[in-house]
Amino acid sequence: MNTYHPLVSRFLRLNIATKMSLGYLPLAGIILLIAIFALVGLGKMNQINNTIVHHDIIVIETVDKLIDNLLAQESYARRYLIIGNADMYQMHLKRAAEFDTLVNRLRSLPDQSALPIHEIQSMYTNLNNTYQNAFKQVKESDIPVPVIDDTLSRTLKKLITLLQTTADSVHHSLNRKMIHSSDLGIYTFRIMASLSFLGLLVGIASALLITRNIARSIHQLKIATDEIASGRFDYEIRVHDQGELGELATAFQTMAHRLGRLEEMYLDASPLTRLPGGVAIENILKKRLDAKETVAFCMVDLDNFKSFNDRYGYAKGNQMIKMTAAIIESAVQAFGSPTDFIGHIGGDDFAVITEPKNARQICEQIVRVFDEKVISHYEACDLEKGYIESTARSGERSEFPIMSVSIAIASNESRQDVNHIQLGEVAAELKRLAKSLPGSQYVTDRRRYDKTEDRYADTNDTLQSEKETLTG
């Protein structure tokens, strides 16, 4: 029996997207409030920090430089008055110009109300005039230097005291601003922390309200997942929801059926090469031909593999099969397309489904690399003879040449309505022709399809002609 409030009941009957949207609206509102408080607080802190960086720190640095500059002027002036060195006089003038530049820097600040710039400039003008008078008196008379030094020192001391007082005032203002910025940051943090905690509570409540309604369906889907994972692809999913979860259950059921078919398709995959087997090859070929794609069906077969297996054992034979699979995969990767398919029919038989334009290059690469690598699997004595001795299927001892590879290329280029069985028969016929030729070969079907008789020309004369001309 439903004990929910009518509003809650209506909410639970909504689809998942609407539920989640409504459930997260309060959380979104709280996040918006957090963002507003954060932006306001950060804006105020940024304003304070800008004032500190672009005013207070500049004033403090400039005043310190002004004091250093005045002391340097006094030092150069005293040296000039004592020893009369013209270089000292020029250095004094240079420092005086720098002082004017520093004062102009203070004038360029946006807020000058708390700075005694006019007073600083006035006192410096008096000091500079005192310097100039002293310099003039030294040149024109014999006034004692200590009297001049005492006059300069008193004027200089007053100006330095004014600058230090200005610096101290700005330092106090900077400290107040930093304390205010810190208090503002703590206040903003507390508000954001409170709103975040409230948002967490709202989020948990919304999540519980939403998940409680869909938990049963999700539980059924989990059970179905476990059953399908264990191999029961025919398991019936018991989800009665008619919304998105019901659609998901239907799609899940369809996927399970397709997985069942894929399992059947790939159960015959070769455990040695891990390549898909005959069922997969047949299904892929049929699917592409039914889709009216132009394909080249290549059948790859090793010649004299049985004699090699008898001579060197199954372990060596398995290595040869793996090597051949690797050669085919490498050739398809180098000259094929991403949609190409490689399969292992069984034993020493492989298949490649590719585009006709790529078939020749792929087969040429397989033949070339196979002939290069196959000799490394034979002993030197057998390579020197050029054959191995083994028992034929008839039971007689025979000589078998070094292994080679034969490839047949059958395509539907000349006939678009050929089915996979017919194309396979053509490939098998061409493979027999390739195996009758010495060494590694690949052959293609150059016969034209006779539409009037609904068949390929396949007389002995035609096959003989193909045998003479179809070489890799």
Side-chain angles (χ1 to χ4, degrees):
M1 182 176 180
N2 191 355
T3 59
Y4 291 121
H5 188 276
L7 290 178
V8 177
S9 298
R10 290 181 60 186
F11 172 77
L12 294 177
R13 286 196 295 268
L14 298 173
N15 59 50
I16 295 177
T18 306
K19 289 176 185 176
M20 295 185 68
S21 299
L22 293 177
Y24 286 118
L25 276 178
L27 184 59
I30 293 175
I31 293 175
L32 181 61
L33 287 176
I34 293 174
I36 292 173
F37 271 98
L39 290 175
V40 172
L42 290 175
K44 292 180 179 179
M45 293 172 63
N46 185 59
Q47 185 177 4
I48 295 173
N49 291 334
N50 280 335
T51 303
I52 293 174
V53 172
H54 297 105
H55 182 272
D56 296 352
I57 293 179
I58 292 177
V59 171
I60 292 171
E61 291 178 349
T62 305
V63 168
D64 288 342
K65 290 180 180 179
L66 286 171
I67 294 173
D68 292 339
N69 183 279
L70 289 173
L71 294 175
Q73 287 188 56
E74 190 266 344
S75 175
Y76 290 130
R78 179 179 287 111
R79 294 177 189 176
Y80 173 70
L81 293 173
I82 294 174
I83 64 177
N85 189 325
D87 290 339
M88 297 297 101
Y89 179 71
Q90 293 300 323
M91 292 298 297
H92 172 83
L93 294 179
K94 182 179 179 181
R95 291 296 184 178
E98 291 177 357
F99 188 92
D100 291 334
T101 302
L102 292 172
V103 172
N104 289 331
R105 184 182 182 186
L106 293 178
R107 285 198 180 99
S108 66
L109 296 176
D111 184 11
Q112 309 172 20
S113 58
L115 301 178
I117 297 177
H118 178 73
E119 188 176 356
I120 293 172
Q121 186 65 59
S122 176
M123 292 182 67
Y124 178 71
T125 301
N126 294 333
L127 176 66
N128 196 39
N129 290 335
T130 303
Y131 277 131
Q132 297 304 320
N133 292 331
F135 296 156
K136 184 177 180 180
Q137 291 176 17
V138 167
K139 294 178 180 179
E140 296 178 352
S141 62
D142 296 328
I143 299 176
V145 172
V147 175
I148 298 175
D149 282 346
D150 184 62
T151 303
L152 291 173
S153 297
R154 287 196 302 271
T155 308
L156 178 63
K157 184 176 180 180
K158 291 180 181 179
L159 181 53
I160 290 177
T161 301
L162 176 62
L163 291 173
Q164 288 176 339
T165 302
T166 302
D168 292 340
S169 176
V170 175
H171 267 295
H172 290 314
S173 175
L174 186 148
N175 291 334
R176 289 194 301 270
K177 291 174 183 177
M178 292 183 67
I179 293 172
H180 180 58
S181 178
S182 176
D183 293 340
L184 184 60
I186 294 173
Y187 172 76
T188 303
F189 171 77
R190 288 175 178 173
I191 294 296
M192 291 176 62
S194 300
L195 290 175
S196 298
F197 180 72
L198 179 61
L200 179 63
L201 294 180
V202 172
I204 293 174
S206 299
L208 290 175
L209 184 62
I210 293 170
T211 56
R212 185 174 181 180
N213 182 51
I214 61 177
R216 180 175 300 175
S217 297
I218 292 179
H219 180 65
Q220 290 296 324
L221 287 172
K222 181 181 181 302
I223 294 175
T225 301
D226 295 338
E227 293 293 332
I228 293 171
S230 65
R232 291 188 57 191
F233 299 110
D234 56 347
Y235 179 79
E236 191 69 27
I237 303 175
R238 299 179 179 86
V239 173
H240 305 291
D241 188 279
Q242 298 300 314
E244 291 93 334
L245 288 175
E247 295 174 359
L248 178 61
T250 302
F252 206 81
Q253 193 79 69
T254 303
M255 180 189 70
H257 293 159
R258 292 192 64 183
L259 285 174
R261 291 194 296 270
L262 288 173
E263 184 186 47
E264 294 176 0
M265 181 184 300
Y266 288 102
L267 273 178
D268 64 332
S270 169
L272 183 61
T273 62
R274 303 297 182 185
L275 292 174
V279 174
I281 297 171
E282 182 178 348
N283 288 340
I284 293 295
L285 183 60
K286 182 178 184 301
K287 180 180 178 181
R288 297 192 180 184
L289 292 175
D290 291 345
K292 303 301 180 183
E293 296 182 20
T294 302
V295 301
F297 180 53
C298 308
M299 292 186 67
V300 184
D301 187 17
L302 300 184
D303 305 321
N304 306 314
F305 175 73
K306 179 181 180 302
S307 59
F308 176 88
N309 219 27
D310 293 342
R311 168 72 172 82
Y312 291 100
Y314 287 104
K316 283 282 190 179
N318 288 342
Q319 292 179 7
M320 182 63 66
I321 295 298
K322 289 182 179 179
M323 183 197 76
T324 304
I327 291 173
I328 295 173
E329 290 176 327
S330 177
V332 171
Q333 184 178 6
F335 299 101
S337 62
T339 59
D340 288 353
F341 178 84
I342 305 172
H344 187 182
I345 300 172
D348 59 344
D349 292 312
F350 297 86
V352 177
I353 302 175
T354 183
E355 300 177 24
K357 65 179 181 179
N358 300 329
R360 285 181 175 272
Q361 283 184 304
I362 292 173
C363 294
E364 288 175 358
Q365 180 73 358
I366 293 173
V367 169
R368 183 183 65 80
V369 177
F370 182 87
D371 286 346
E372 290 176 356
K373 292 187 175 182
V374 69
I375 57 176
S376 64
H377 291 263
Y378 282 85
E379 293 180 357
C381 59
D382 291 334
L383 290 175
E384 184 178 355
K385 292 187 297 183
Y387 63 87
I388 59 175
E389 295 181 0
S390 183
T391 303
R393 297 182 186 277
S394 61
E396 299 179 354
R397 297 289 293 179
S398 301
E399 296 177 355
F400 295 90
I402 301 300
M403 245 191 305
S404 57
V405 60
S406 296
I407 308 175
I409 306 175
S411 174
N412 64 337
E413 282 187 297
S414 63
R415 179 184 176 185
Q416 290 295 323
D417 58 346
V418 66
N419 60 41
H420 65 289
I421 297 177
Q422 294 169 326
L423 197 62
E425 292 174 348
V426 173
E429 182 181 9
L430 293 173
K431 189 181 77 168
R432 288 194 295 271
L433 173 60
K435 291 181 73 67
S436 68
L437 300 173
S440 295
Q441 304 284 344
Y442 73 88
V443 297
T444 59
D445 188 8
R446 296 181 179 177
R447 298 170 298 176
R448 295 188 177 276
Y449 181 73
D450 190 344
K451 293 184 178 180
T452 59
E453 298 185 11
D454 191 27
R455 67 181 182 87
Y456 290 94
D458 58 355
T459 63
N460 291 333
D461 293 339
T462 302
L463 289 176
Q464 180 65 30
S465 174
E466 291 293 325
K467 181 176 180 180
E468 292 173 355
T469 59
L470 298 181
T471 59

